[in-house]
Amino acid sequence: QQKVQQSPESLIVPEGAMTSLNCTFSDSASQYFAWYRQHSGKAPKALMSIFSNGEKEEGRFTIHLNKASLHFSLHIRDSQPSDSALYLCAVRGAYKVIFGKGTHLHVLP
Amino acid sequence: GPKVLQIPSHQIIDMGQMVTLNCDPVSNHLYFYWYKQILGQQMEFLVNFYNGKVMEKSKLFKDQFSVERPDGSYFTLKIQPTALEDSAVYFCASSLEQGRNSDYTFGSGTRLLVI
């Protein structure tokens, strides 16, 4: 059974800081690795996804995957108060996506 | 962008009664999912549905649960009978495929309270 774990559980950073969120998974055959963002009371929304080892950058957001280490991460450059939300990492095996418990990010103005 | 609509947003129901949660997925999506989230806990996979069939279900998908999408209408999750432990937020999601366009589009959830 796939296990997906996130760290830290919560994070407070000042505006303008670099934020790093981590996710580990247990199934080395996993094929899809993604980050979702959920504002309170709203639907989770896909931020970025990656399928092979390496990095992918979109604007202020970078996702990094290391399958050998069973680890991927999300880095947010120049963090903004509007980035404050619950961040969920997601890993897919055959038919289903398993989500982590989430990291609560608070960016202080 | 495209949205998944969930109806109702809130539901209160007496234990033992039946409840149907409705989901209107993104129109060209082919795969449909239900997830369950108890307050403060992980969002947990319930079921994956494609081409009229359940592809995979978790141990949380008890015998009292069923899903269907008759003739391209709502994708529904039915619980009959309900139990107190079914109280949670239920999220519906859809995706175009399970390859490189695997990103899920989620609805805003149905908050179910069984009393």
Side-chain angles (χ1 to χ4, degrees):
Chain A
Q1 175 77 355
Q2 171 88 270
K3 290 198 187 322
V4 177
Q5 294 187 306
Q6 290 187 238
S7 63
E9 285 187 18
S10 64
L11 190 56
I12 301 174
V13 301
E15 183 174 356
M18 169 73 85
T19 296
S20 295
L21 309 177
N22 299 291
C23 187
T24 59
F25 54 96
S26 59
D27 184 356
S28 58
S30 300
Q31 300 163 9
Y32 162 88
F33 308 88
W35 288 94
Y36 286 70
R37 182 166 69 184
Q38 184 179 20
H39 289 104
S40 184
K42 305 283 188 183
K45 190 171 179 184
L47 263 181
M48 292 182 72
S49 54
I50 194 167
F51 299 88
S52 53
N53 276 337
E55 277 191 1
K56 181 176 166 184
E57 181 178 335
E58 291 180 2
R60 295 185 293 110
F61 297 85
T62 301
I63 189 171
H64 179 91
L65 171 63
N66 184 331
K67 281 190 180 181
S69 301
L70 302 176
H71 175 266
F72 66 110
S73 56
L74 179 71
H75 305 277
I76 307 173
R77 178 171 46 84
D78 187 25
S79 299
Q80 299 296 307
S82 57
D83 295 329
S84 298
L86 177 68
Y87 287 78
L88 302 167
C89 69
V91 181
R92 182 174 65 81
Y95 294 118
K96 63 179 186 274
V97 168
I98 301 296
F99 289 87
K101 197 171 178 181
T103 294
H104 290 272
L105 173 65
H106 301 276
V107 182
L108 301 177
Chain B
K3 293 190 181 197
V4 170
L5 181 64
Q6 287 190 242
I7 302 165
S9 58
H10 295 77
Q11 179 89 50
I12 300 174
I13 195 158
D14 291 324
M15 183 177 63
Q17 297 297 304
M18 181 191 78
V19 68
T20 300
L21 309 184
N22 298 294
C23 173
D24 188 11
V26 176
S27 61
N28 63 335
H29 282 185
L30 301 175
Y31 293 82
F32 314 112
Y33 315 87
W34 283 103
Y35 283 79
K36 176 182 178 182
Q37 186 176 41
I38 294 174
L39 186 64
Q41 297 186 22
Q42 200 156 356
M43 187 163 58
E44 303 215 63
F45 170 81
L46 283 177
V47 66
N48 174 359
F49 190 83
Y50 169 73
N51 198 27
K53 299 190 196 70
V54 170
M55 302 299 291
E56 187 171 358
K57 58 186 180 182
S58 73
K59 59 185 178 188
L60 294 179
F61 194 80
K62 304 179 295 185
D63 290 344
Q64 298 90 323
F65 287 40
S66 62
V67 290
E68 63 176 354
R69 192 188 187 209
D71 299 323
S73 60
Y74 285 149
F75 173 51
T76 61
L77 173 66
K78 187 183 293 185
I79 310 174
Q80 180 178 27
T82 49
L84 295 176
E85 61 264 27
D86 296 330
S87 296
V89 181
Y90 290 84
F91 288 99
C92 173
S94 66
S95 67
L96 180 61
E97 57 176 74
Q98 297 211 311
R100 298 235 159 203
N101 285 319
S102 295
D103 285 347
Y104 287 11
T105 301
F106 277 91
S108 295
T110 293
R111 283 142 188 85
L112 175 65
L113 178 61
V114 181
I115 56 174

